[in-house]
Amino acid sequence: MELILISAAFVAGFIALKCNLPPLVGFLLAGFGLHAFGFQSNSTIVTLADLGVTLLLFTIGLKLDIKTLLSKEIWAGATIHNLLSTAIFAIALICFKFLGVGSLASMSVEQILLLGFALSFSSTVFAVKSLQEKGEMNATYGTIAIGILVMQDIFAVVFLTASTGKLPEWYAISLFTLPLLRPAFYKMLDWVGHGEMLVLLGIFFALVVGAGLFELVGMKPDLGALILGMLLAGHKKASELSKSLFNLKELFLVCFFLNIGLSAQPTLSGFALAILFLLLLPLKGILYFLVLNVFKFRVRTSLLATLSLFNFSEFGLIVGGLAYKMGWMNSDIMVALAIAVSISFVLSAPLNRHGHALYQRSGRWLREHAAEKLNIRDQLINPGHAQVLILGMGRIGTGAYDELRHRYGKISLGIEVREDAAHEHKAHGRNVIAGDATDPDFWERILDVANVKLVLLAMPHHQGNQIALEQLRRKNFQGQIAAIAEYPDQLEALVEGGVDAAFNIYNEAGSGFARHVCEQLKPTFSK
């Protein structure tokens, strides 16, 4: 059976990829197809799926700044949206009930409210995978979307704990000592090096220390993995640890999407009810946009965050599953939820993929806030007298900045998508500001680029560099452009796109290493 599941997942994922859809859409459809042929989910698939979600939340925590959750646009925005969407969905479902929808006829108002609550969540798994594929996890809209999703996960955990009537054990208070253990955790990260022991330590932290301890005291294991990841986020190896777990997490999440399809038996009534649920999805998106707009974000930020959240959630299935076990929902509702979640992923995938293009087409029709009233994350940018813009201040961008400063003085301005990293660069004396160079409005927010003669595209994701290059060309930038890439085909695409120079980072690292050795050691060789 395992061979059939693997083969079906690979074929369906490959077809989805060739159709310009995320592979997860193929995995979902593979699950439904296999179920139609009599295959069922089993304990192995469920266990691997749970491991995938736990590792996902752990890696989210590794990249999440607690200050993000404490900002009012996150905690207040998530709360307002959850309350409003639950109420609006419940009203709509009650209308469906009085119109004669059979599956809803026997449900009380309280049960319909619970169903509206389940539909109010958006998918953490889908949004994170979509943002990772675009390389925009740290973009302003990406951090907002992730923050809202984490708050929703917390809401779901609170509900699941309360609805089961099972309170955490009295000794759950001991979990408050975890922050005191952070120095010990940091030491462990320092000691294990960079190889397989780092991966094993990450799994140990996520599954044993985080999920295991929380489950032991009667709390949701996934919440434990998330919180432990957040405790480790300040360590210098946090990013490396996240990357080392990436492929393992992705493999387990294949089982998660397969399991959704394998666990539901599509019925005609369930499918019809799922279509009604999907009719409510635009209301959910409009609410996200309006709530974010209240906090004075630009149209682009609000729209792209909305698209990332424009789906139903696997947590809705968990909430629905608990309600089904307690007799609050019938089987048709559960089937409809599973189908609605799956179809929402299929609908959301192309919208997210073409989010920037959708913004460019619709942005002009949506009213923008006055520049002086914009959220601090979306303020106008003044490059001053900078002659070089470096887009992406990771290791490569930072190295380029320092080399240019050594050769020509203070002529550069670094653009870094992560606010915390930008502040750290400033603390080291670099001229760096926070900004999203893939943003179509980014160049519009720059007050004057007349002095800029050179732009370096040093972002870690090829798609991000390509998008920035397109924006530069639309801006009719007259200076020179240089870019980095990992693979030969990416170099070709950049050259065709109009860069003046494209460099393979691995080749350049090798030549730089050799140059450094010759300068430092001054070896003598016989000819």
Side-chain angles (χ1 to χ4, degrees), residues 453-521:
K453 299 176 181 177
L454 174 64
V455 174
L456 304 183
L457 304 179
M459 289 178 282
H461 296 277
H462 175 64
Q463 187 179 15
N465 287 327
Q466 276 195 313
I467 292 172
L469 177 60
E470 291 171 5
Q471 300 307 320
L472 281 166
R473 289 311 179 198
R474 288 196 184 99
K475 181 77 174 173
N476 196 28
F477 176 68
Q478 298 300 313
Q480 294 179 307
I481 304 172
I484 61 168
E486 293 181 87
Y487 305 106
D489 60 324
Q490 294 177 348
L491 291 176
E492 293 175 7
L494 289 168
V495 171
E496 290 174 2
V499 300
D500 298 286
F503 302 91
N504 184 297
I505 56 176
Y506 299 122
N507 291 341
E508 293 302 312
S511 62
F513 176 52
R515 184 169 57 253
H516 184 71
V517 168
C518 293
E519 291 174 355
Q520 291 288 317
L521 303 182

Side-chain angles (χ1 to χ4, degrees), residues 4-22:
I4 295 175
L5 291 176
I6 292 171
S7 300
F10 172 76
V11 172
F14 183 79
I15 293 173
L17 195 62
K18 289 301 180 182
C19 294
N20 291 323
L21 291 171

Side-chain angles (χ1 to χ4, degrees), residues 26 45 55 60 82 92 132-133 137 141 148 166 187 193 199 262 306 391 406 408 415 423 442 444 447 474 477:
I45 296 293
L55 288 178
I60 290 174
N82 185 263
Q132 285 177 336
E133 287 171 1
M137 276 284 289
Y141 85 90
I148 289 175
K166 180 183 176 183
K187 283 292 184 185
V199 178
L262 288 168
T306 295
L391 310 184
H406 174 71
Y408 303 107
I415 310 295
H423 291 311
F442 175 80
E444 299 298 330
L447 297 177
R474 288 196 184 99
F477 176 68

